[in-house]
Amino acid sequence: MLSIKNLRAGIPGNEILKGINLEVKAGEVHAIMGPNGSGKSTLSSVLAGKENYQVTEGEIWFSPPSPRGEGSGMRRKNLLEMSPEERAREGVFLAFQYPVEIPGVSNINFLKTAINEIRLHRKQPPMETKDFLKLIKEKQALVELQGTLANRSVNEGFSGGEKKRNEIFQMAVLEPTLCILDETDSGLDIDALRIVANGVNKLRSKDRAFVVITHYQRLLDHIIPDFVHVLSNGKIIKSGGKELALELEAKGYDWIKEKDQT
Amino acid sequence: MNAVIDTSATVPARLEGEFKTLLAKTFSSEPEWLKEKRKAAFDSFCKASLPTRKNEEYKYTDVKKVFSGEFTSVYNEAHKLSLDFEKLFVEKNSVKLIFVNGWLHKDSTLSAKLPKGVIVGNLATDGLLIHSGFLKKYLRNDGDTLSRLNAALWTDGAFIYIPENVQLETPIEILHISTGKKEILASFRHLIVAGKNSSVSVIENNISVDLHSHVIVNFHTDIFSGEDSKIQFYRLQNDCKMVSQITSINVLQEKNSRFDTNTITLGRAWARNNLNIALNGENCESHLNGLFITNGNDHVDNHTFIRHNKPNCRSNQLYKGILDGRSTGIFNGKIFVERDAQKTNAYQSSKNILLSDAAAINTKPQLEIYADDVKCSHGSTTGQLNEEAMFYLRSRGLSEDSARNLLLFAFAGDVIEKIQNEPLKIYLEELISQRLRK
Ligand SMILES: Nc1ncnc2c1ncn2[C@@H]1O[C@H](COP(=O)(O)OP(=O)(O)O)[C@@H](O)[C@H]1O
Ligand SMILES: [Mg+2]
C-alpha cells in the first residue's frame, strides 16, 4: 500500500530524513520508534504533504485498494506529486502530534466539509445530514468523545487528551486507508490511552494499514504492531517484529545506535 | 442647470451655482429656518473646502479624487426599478424605507402597525411637513466639513422617532439604492431620536442597481440616544465599485443608554466611514464593530472617535479586515477621556488579514486620556492566513479554497457574533460566504 524508497527530505540547509526505505502492505501495522529529533514527525509531515519540507531524493508510492476490489496494483499513485487534500481524498490520514487549534471553525462543520469534498472526489453525492449526524454520533462513541466537543471550535481549549481523541475521532469518521499516527500516545493518561488504542483497534481491517509513530513502547501494548522500525538521525537503523519494541524499552535507544555504528 | 461643469474649479466654487438652484427649486418650500441652516452649513463648507491629504485625518484617503469628476448635485429623476425587494430585505415583518439616490421611493412599506407615537418616515415629507418643530430642534450643522456639505445639500433620508418607554420590536430596514447614468453627488441624511427608556433596531443596506456612472454618496446620520435607551444601528455597504461613499454618524448618548453599531463593508467599495460618539451621561455603553472584505482597488477607511465625557462609561470596538488584491484599509480609532470621566473602560481592537502582498492596512489608535482612574487599551494585529491551520484542514481533504474560506469566515465571525439580530446574522453569513467565494 505504501512504498517509500530512499527518501531524503528536510529544510533548506538541513537534511532531516537521510534515505528512508519502508514497505507497508494493506492490513499491516508498522510501528516507528525513535528518540526525539530523529525525524519521526518530519516523515509523517512529508507523507501528508506539508509544503515546508523539501524532498530532495526518493519516491513515495501509495496504492490504496481499489474500491471494487480490482487489486491494488491498478491505482499506484505518486504521493509526492499530490497536494495534501488529494492525498487525504485518496485515503491518507495523519493524526497530528500537535493538533492545531482553529478558533471559530466548528469541528462538525469542518468534518462535514471534509467528508463531502472527499465524496465529491470519489464521485459520490454529498452525505445526507441525518446520515452524517448518525455517523458522528457513532464515531464519537468509539473514542468516548463528549458530544459537546464535536460542536466546539476545532481543538480550541481542548485538553491534550481531548485533542488526541479528536484526531482519532476524525480518522474514524473519514475512514482512510493509510492511517499515520504521530505520537498519539503522548500526553494521554492510561485510561485515555486505552480508549484511543481501542478506537484504533476497531478500525483495523485487511484493507487498511497503520503507521504508528511513538516514542514509548506502552502504546504498543494496546496496538500490537506487525513490524517495528527504529528511526535514528533520519534513517531506519533496525527493523523487527513486535519484540523489538520490548527490547528497546528495556535497553534504550543507545544500545542500537552503538550496535549500528560497529 | 445644464451649465458646463468646470472641473478645474474648486469644489465649493463648482457647487455654488448648484446650491442656489437647489434653494430656488428643490428646497424652495422649506421653512425659512432650514434654508438659513443650509446656507450657514454651505458657507462653512466653502470656508473649509474638501479635506486634503495634508489633513492628518485624511492622510490615506484622497477625497479630492472622488470629487474630481463631472458630478452634479441637482437631480431628481424618477427611476423605474424592477427589483425583487423581498430578497433585499432581511426580515419579512420589518418597517421598510427605500431610498433611491437619496430620495424616497414609492415602494417603501411603512404600513406595519407601530406603537402609538412612533414615527418612521422620511425627513423631506414626514419630517418637514408634519414635524417641522421637532426637526428644528434636532437638525444640526456640526461634524467635519463633509458633514456640513451634507447639512447644506441633503435631500432626504430616514426620520425615526421612538417615544419614551416604547420598545419597538419590529426592526426598521432602510434600503439605499444608487442607480442611473448620471454622475451625481447624492446627499442623504437620517435622523434617529430614541426617547427615555426606549429601544429600536435599524438595519441599513446600501446597494447599487443598474448604475452606469460614478456616484458620490455623502451620507450623514444624527442619533440621539435618550436616558436608558437602547439603539442598534447596522450599516451594510454592498455597493458596486462605481460608488464612493462617505458616511458619518454622530451619536449623543445620555445616561444609562446603550448604542451598538456594526459597519459591514462587503461591496467593491470606496468608503470613508466616520463614527463620532459622545458619551454625555454616566454609565453609558457603546459597542462599535466593523468588518470589511476588500479586493482589487477597494479602499475602506474607518474612523472612530469616542468621547468619554462622563464617569463609569464603557466603550468597546472591534474592527476586522480581510484584504486582497491591491486594496487598502484604514482603521483610525480615537478614544478621548475627559478629566471627569473616571472609571472609564475603553477597549479597541483592530485585526486584519492580508491575502496579497500588494494589499495594505494602516491602523492608528489614538488615546487621549485626562482622567486617572481608567482602563483603556488598544491592540492591532495584521497577518496572513495561519499556515498550520491551512495544512491541518487540507490534510483532512478540504481544498485550498474551502480551507481558506473556513478560516476567513471564522475570522469574520467574531464581528458577526456581535450582531443581536438573528435573521441579520444569517443574511450576512450567506453574503460573506458568497463574497469569500468571490
Ligand atoms: N520546520 C523545521 N524547521 C527547522 N527544523 C526542523 C523543522 N522540522 C524539523 N526540524 C528539525 O529536524 C529534526 C527532526 O524533527 P522531528 O521530525 O520533529 O523529530 P521527532 O518527531 O522524531 O521528534 C529536529 O532536529 C528538528 O529540530
Ligand atoms: Mg515528533
Side-chain angles (χ1 to χ4, degrees):
Chain A
M1 175 181 291
L2 178 71
S3 172
I4 305 178
K5 295 198 167 107
N6 189 31
L7 178 70
R8 288 176 177 273
I11 51 168
N14 181 10
E15 185 170 71
I16 301 170
L17 302 178
K18 299 168 182 168
I20 303 255
N21 291 288
L22 184 68
E23 296 290 328
V24 177
K25 295 199 175 65
E28 293 176 350
V29 174
H30 289 244
I32 298 182
M33 301 183 70
N36 280 333
S38 56
K40 303 184 297 294
S41 290
T42 303
L43 176 61
S44 51
S45 295
V46 169
L47 287 172
K50 193 164 185 172
E51 281 145 2
N52 308 29
Y53 295 105
Q54 271 178 359
V55 174
T56 48
E57 218 182 302
E59 296 167 18
I60 307 177
W61 294 96
F62 177 53
S63 325
S66 120
R68 292 183 207 95
E70 289 161 6
S72 61
M74 307 288 290
R75 307 206 314 140
R76 211 165 83 115
K77 307 260 173 191
N78 184 349
L79 268 199
L80 292 176
E81 284 179 351
M82 291 156 68
S83 65
E85 57 269 33
E86 284 170 327
R87 298 178 200 207
R89 292 166 190 176
E90 287 293 336
V92 177
F93 184 96
L94 167 63
F96 283 50
Q97 180 176 4
Y98 303 109
V100 185
E101 295 196 12
I102 313 183
V105 174
S106 95
N107 237 344
I108 291 283
N109 190 10
F110 144 60
L111 264 182
K112 193 166 183 200
T113 314
I115 284 198
N116 285 335
E117 294 202 15
I118 291 170
R119 289 174 68 92
L120 184 70
H121 177 77
R122 294 176 185 163
K123 302 193 168 59
Q124 294 166 324
M127 193 179 264
E128 297 278 344
T129 301
K130 75 171 191 328
D131 295 336
F132 174 72
L133 292 176
K134 205 174 134 215
L135 180 72
I136 292 294
K137 226 173 162 176
E138 183 189 314
K139 303 300 183 183
Q140 262 173 318
L142 187 76
V143 290
E144 298 177 27
L145 188 75
Q146 275 178 1
T148 50
L149 287 184
N151 287 313
R152 289 217 326 241
S153 290
V154 179
N155 296 320
E156 191 190 23
F158 287 26
S159 71
E162 286 167 344
K163 283 182 184 164
K164 296 303 176 75
R165 262 190 264 182
N166 192 24
E167 294 293 282
I168 303 305
F169 162 65
Q170 292 179 36
M171 186 171 94
V173 169
L174 299 178
E175 301 187 320
T177 41
L178 175 64
C179 308
I180 306 155
L181 276 58
D182 189 2
E183 298 214 24
T184 299
D185 53 332
S186 65
L188 292 185
D189 61 31
I190 196 74
D191 286 335
L193 184 75
R194 191 180 39 76
I195 292 165
V196 162
N198 268 343
V200 170
N201 285 331
K202 286 199 184 116
L203 292 171
R204 286 178 75 158
S205 83
K206 67 173 180 24
D207 291 330
R208 188 172 279 143
F210 288 83
V211 174
V212 179
I213 292 170
T214 179
H215 186 69
Y216 301 104
Q217 186 268 340
R218 61 174 195 164
L219 179 67
L220 305 179
D221 287 340
H222 300 273
I223 304 173
I224 313 287
D226 301 301
F227 301 93
V228 174
H229 310 276
V230 181
L231 185 69
S232 173
N233 193 20
K235 275 187 186 159
I236 290 180
I237 54 169
K238 192 170 175 67
S239 298
K242 61 175 186 266
E243 7 20 275
L244 181 55
L246 292 167
E247 219 173 326
L248 283 169
E249 180 78 355
K251 299 185 188 168
Y253 289 107
D254 293 342
W255 156 68
I256 306 186
K257 275 196 239 169
E258 278 157 25
K259 216 176 109 193
D260 187 48
Q261 277 153 12
T262 54
Chain B
M1 242 168 125
N2 292 318
V4 180
I5 298 160
D6 176 8
T7 52
S8 69
T10 65
V11 170
R14 286 166 57 190
L15 283 170
E16 199 145 10
E18 293 207 344
F19 183 59
K20 285 207 179 99
T21 309
L22 285 167
L23 280 177
K25 297 194 168 169
T26 316
F27 307 146
S28 63
S29 57
E30 286 180 352
E32 220 37 54
W33 63 263
L34 181 54
K35 283 190 227 169
E36 288 309 314
K37 235 188 171 99
R38 287 186 185 276
K39 282 183 206 155
F42 192 75
D43 285 346
S44 146
F45 164 74
C46 289
K47 280 204 193 85
S49 194
L50 289 179
T52 67
R53 295 182 66 179
K54 285 192 198 112
N55 179 333
E56 192 61 26
E57 301 296 314
Y58 285 86
K59 194 168 164 188
Y60 301 105
T61 293
D62 191 355
V63 178
K64 276 219 160 110
K65 208 163 134 198
V66 168
F67 282 82
S68 63
E70 296 188 15
F71 66 89
T72 173
S73 56
V74 182
Y75 62 90
N76 185 7
E77 298 162 275
H79 290 279
K80 273 206 209 88
L81 294 169
S82 47
L83 285 176
D84 184 358
F85 284 114
E86 288 267 304
K87 280 210 188 98
L88 296 168
F89 288 104
V90 176
E91 292 201 33
K92 226 187 165 77
N93 300 320
S94 56
V95 187
K96 296 174 176 68
L97 285 163
I98 303 167
F99 294 91
V100 177
N101 294 343
W103 295 93
L104 187 73
H105 188 260
K106 61 173 176 29
D107 285 339
S108 302
T109 53
L110 303 166
S111 54
K113 274 202 203 97
L114 293 172
K116 196 163 166 268
V118 170
I119 304 167
V120 180
N122 67 320
L123 273 184
T125 46
D126 299 291
L128 282 176
L129 297 183
I130 311 167
H131 305 280
S132 170
F134 191 89
L135 254 57
K136 191 173 176 183
K137 181 171 164 203
Y138 283 102
L139 280 180
R140 300 162 66 104
N141 276 359
D142 50 5
D144 77 356
T145 163
L146 290 158
S147 289
R148 275 173 276 156
L149 180 62
N150 175 286
L153 301 178
W154 66 269
T155 50
D156 208 349
F159 172 41
I160 297 167
Y161 170 67
I162 315 294
E164 267 185 42
N165 299 321
V166 172
Q167 323 296 319
L168 189 64
E169 305 291 341
T170 324
I172 298 166
E173 291 195 67
I174 305 168
L175 182 66
H176 184 249
I177 300 169
S178 292
T179 186
K181 295 188 179 65
K182 212 194 245 171
E183 173 154 6
I184 58 168
L185 162 63
S187 299
F188 192 37
R189 190 174 185 99
H190 300 324
L191 174 63
I192 301 171
V193 180
K196 198 171 163 179
N197 189 36
S198 69
S199 69
V200 60
S201 169
V202 179
I203 301 168
E204 178 207 83
N205 191 3
N206 293 273
I207 61 167
S208 11
V209 176
D210 211 7
L211 180 64
H212 303 279
S213 167
H214 175 233
V215 163
I216 311 165
V217 181
N218 183 24
F219 201 152
H220 183 86
T221 303
D222 276 317
I223 297 179
F224 296 86
S225 183
E227 268 181 52
D228 294 292
S229 68
K230 287 190 176 64
I231 300 181
Q232 292 155 17
F233 187 86
Y234 303 111
R235 168 163 281 163
L236 279 44
Q237 297 180 305
N238 289 314
D239 274 305
C240 75
K241 65 173 190 285
M242 310 282 267
V243 176
S244 303
Q245 196 170 59
I246 300 155
T247 76
S248 58
I249 302 181
N250 286 2
V251 186
L252 297 185
Q253 285 188 246
E254 285 175 31
K255 75 176 188 199
N256 302 328
S257 63
R258 174 174 173 144
F259 176 66
D260 282 82
T261 191
N262 287 53
T263 308
I264 312 286
T265 311
L266 303 176
R268 308 307 314 276
W270 187 100
R272 160 68 181 237
N273 300 313
N274 296 312
L275 259 172
N276 303 306
I277 317 279
L279 304 173
N280 287 344
E282 283 197 40
N283 201 29
C284 290
E285 237 179 276
S286 222
H287 299 265
L288 281 54
N289 304 297
L291 170 71
F292 54 95
I293 303 180
T294 57
N295 204 338
N297 286 319
D298 298 350
H299 176 87
V300 176
D301 176 353
N302 283 305
H303 263 65
T304 65
F305 182 11
I306 300 191
R307 238 176 198 289
H308 280 263
N309 290 328
K310 286 279 155 37
N312 292 310
C313 295
R314 294 169 294 283
S315 67
N316 216 322
Q317 303 181 59
L318 175 64
Y319 275 79
K320 287 195 155 190
I322 298 171
L323 300 99
D324 204 346
R326 278 154 293 136
S327 64
T328 46
I330 290 129
F331 174 72
N332 187 311
K334 187 167 179 177
I335 299 171
F336 182 96
V337 182
E338 272 292 359
R339 221 172 44 164
D340 281 355
Q342 301 295 1
K343 307 275 181 207
T344 287
N345 268 303
Y347 298 103
Q348 183 190 89
S349 159
S350 153
K351 295 183 177 167
N352 304 284
I353 291 184
L354 299 178
L355 295 174
S356 101
D357 293 339
I361 177 88
N362 283 292
T363 60
K364 185 176 170 193
Q366 290 170 272
L367 302 185
E368 214 175 313
I369 301 170
Y370 298 99
D372 44 27
D373 185 13
V374 302
K375 281 188 192 142
C376 292
S377 77
H378 64 84
S380 101
T381 58
T382 296
Q384 277 83 41
L385 270 181
N386 180 342
E387 260 183 52
E388 295 293 321
M390 278 295 285
F391 176 60
Y392 186 81
L393 295 174
R394 291 175 71 194
S395 81
R396 303 289 136 103
L398 270 71
S399 69
E400 218 172 330
D401 276 351
S402 310
R404 177 179 160 275
N405 290 351
L406 267 189
L407 293 179
L408 293 177
F409 194 78
F411 177 80
D414 284 354
V415 175
I416 303 308
E417 269 310 296
K418 307 268 184 192
I419 292 174
Q420 294 164 54
N421 174 310
E422 281 307 314
L424 178 59
K425 265 191 199 170
I426 295 165
Y427 182 88
L428 279 174
E429 278 165 3
E430 180 53 35
L431 267 186
I432 290 167
S433 40
Q434 268 176 33
R435 182 70 170 87
L436 291 175
R437 272 184 253 124
K438 274 185 269 184

